[in-house]
Amino acid sequence: MNMPKMPLPALDDRMKTATILALFFVGLFAIQGVFMPYWPVWLKAQGLSAGEIGILLSLPNWVRVFADPLIAQRADHTGNRKTPMLWLAGIYVVTVLAFPVSSNFWWLAALSMVIGFTYAPLLPLGTTITVHECKTRDLDYGRVRLWGSLAFIVASYGVGWILDGTSTTWIVWMLFAAGVINFAIVTRMPDPQTERSLRSGSSLIYLLRKPVFLIYLGCIGFAQGAHGTYYSFASVHWESVGYSHEMIGAFWSTGVMAEVALFAFAGKFVRGRHPGILFAIGAIAGILRWIVLGSSDDVWLIMLVQPLHALTFGITHLAAVSFIARAIPQQLATSAQSLMATLSMGVFLGSSIWASGPLYQHFGSHAYYAMAGSSAIALVFSLWLMRSWRGEDKTFCD
């Protein structure tokens, strides 16, 4: 007996959708692959102090505290996510071109705020579209998302290799090129018009009144905040102890390669686990990772703990997305994604990056010990979530 086959047009349509969603993450994380490891290096080359670098790196995170919720709530009320993405991606490209104009701190601060307003909301908007399309077309979110991590690896390692043969002035132009590619990809994104919000009032306030959602935000917030010193001063510190830009790129790439492997193969494991368990795994890995990085600059120890990025970031991210997919109705999904991104990558990570400036200035790599403390708090919240939420689907439907 011949088994029924899916019609070829349907297969082609799924493949096209999966490809463009994967390319969205490629464009977005190619920018991060340049920005995270090397933007602090560019700022240092402009003559800025560690404290000033910490402020400038934290500003985009603080701006998203206001930008993400406003844009997300509007998107949920209209059911349209793609149009604001096009505007934001375009403005980002123009803003990057203005950075070489002056090395004045206040000029760089103003541009950093614009970057926070334009780049940061792209992730929750695009993630909402991706989760919607993955559900509708039976696609594996992790296997779509992993292409962003691969792009981060190629960008971070490739830029390090280029910089060893050129100068830090190229960092801005590589950010610009990545931004142009990102804008081109956004123009091809799916444009699902979902139903308008279930509620006439603020969906953000509605979610923030839910105790379980606040516990969830504590899990993701302290877990992501624990990366503050790593994101802001890892490259600066490794450069100061004598590692080449190419080796620094290899350190970053090693962590993200482990993250790619997790996204590729962890789908079934994640679907069968309570998000609180996943958060706990990531938090325990964070305590170990940050203590080691705070204690040693040995190349082999660094390479040994860098794969823990798959747990400190990767499994934490999958836990966060899984909770929203299971607990939040689609009409509130962008608001939930935005609050998650705003508080975790804005308030928590922004505060952590800002604090890392004076901490690194006074304690050097021992600043990582404070990040281990943040991971420990995330572990407490993850255990609290396991006790408070039993895994009910669409918990916040009235």
Side-chain angles (χ1 to χ4, degrees), residues 7-307:
L8 285 178
L11 284 170
D12 290 343
D13 186 56
R14 289 180 70 241
M15 181 60 70
K16 288 178 182 178
T17 301
T19 299
I20 194 61
L21 294 174
L23 286 174
F24 164 72
F25 288 108
V26 167
L28 203 64
F29 285 93
I31 294 173
Q32 281 200 7
V34 181
F35 187 89
M36 282 189 176
Y38 302 110
W39 195 240
V41 175
W42 186 85
L43 292 174
K44 182 183 176 185
Q46 309 311 302
L48 300 172
S49 68
E52 289 173 327
I53 291 172
I55 292 171
L56 292 177
L57 292 175
S58 68
L59 278 175
N61 301 79
W62 282 110
V63 170
R64 74 183 303 171
V65 173
F66 307 99
D68 279 17
L70 290 173
I71 295 170
Q73 184 164 262
R74 178 64 181 170
D76 274 342
H77 276 296
T78 62
N80 180 0
R81 280 94 185 177
K82 183 174 179 178
T83 299
M85 289 177 69
L86 288 168
W87 279 100
L88 295 170
I91 296 171
Y92 167 85
V93 172
V94 176
T95 304
V96 170
L97 284 177
F99 274 98
V101 170
S102 173
S103 59
N104 177 270
F105 172 82
W106 295 108
W107 173 257
L108 298 176
L111 294 178
S112 297
M113 293 174 68
V114 178
I115 290 294
F117 189 89
T118 56
Y119 177 80
L122 289 171
L123 183 57
L125 290 168
T127 300
T128 301
I129 292 176
T130 302
V131 171
H132 177 273
E133 293 298 301
C134 286
K135 279 185 174 182
T136 303
R137 302 173 189 276
D138 193 28
L139 302 172
D140 187 318
Y141 171 82
R143 294 188 178 183
V144 171
R145 171 62 176 75
L146 69 83
W147 291 98
S149 301
L150 285 172
F152 184 97
I153 293 171
V154 173
S156 61
Y157 187 79
V159 170
W161 179 77
I162 292 171
L163 290 179
D164 278 338
T166 56
S167 71
T168 56
T169 58
W170 280 86
I171 294 173
V172 170
W173 300 110
M174 286 184 279
L175 277 175
F176 172 72
V180 171
I181 293 170
N182 180 60
F183 177 79
I185 294 168
V186 169
T187 65
R188 306 298 299 170
M189 281 285 283
D191 191 15
Q193 300 295 309
T194 59
E195 295 180 22
R196 292 173 179 263
S197 176
L198 292 169
R199 314 187 62 79
S200 58
S202 170
S203 55
L204 302 173
I205 293 175
Y206 170 72
L207 289 168
L208 289 173
R209 285 176 175 170
K210 300 291 184 178
V212 170
F213 192 75
L214 295 177
I215 297 170
Y216 158 77
L217 291 176
C219 292
I220 185 65
F222 283 103
Q224 293 290 10
H227 292 77
T229 298
Y230 177 66
Y231 287 160
S232 54
F233 289 102
S235 294
V236 171
H237 177 70
W238 288 330
E239 184 185 49
S240 72
V241 296
Y243 288 113
S244 68
H245 291 126
E246 186 175 359
M247 194 66 205
I248 291 170
F251 287 153
W252 284 84
S253 299
T254 299
V256 185
M257 284 172 65
E259 177 189 315
V260 169
L262 177 82
F263 286 150
F265 300 110
K268 290 183 179 179
F269 177 81
V270 169
R271 284 192 291 271
R273 299 294 185 278
H274 191 291
I277 295 175
L278 305 178
F279 280 127
I281 293 171
I284 293 169
I287 294 170
L288 174 61
R289 184 186 185 190
W290 309 131
I291 288 176
V292 170
L293 289 181
S295 305
S296 176
D297 297 322
D298 181 79
V299 63
W300 296 112
L301 281 176
I302 294 172
M303 294 297 283
L304 183 66
V305 298
Q306 278 299 84

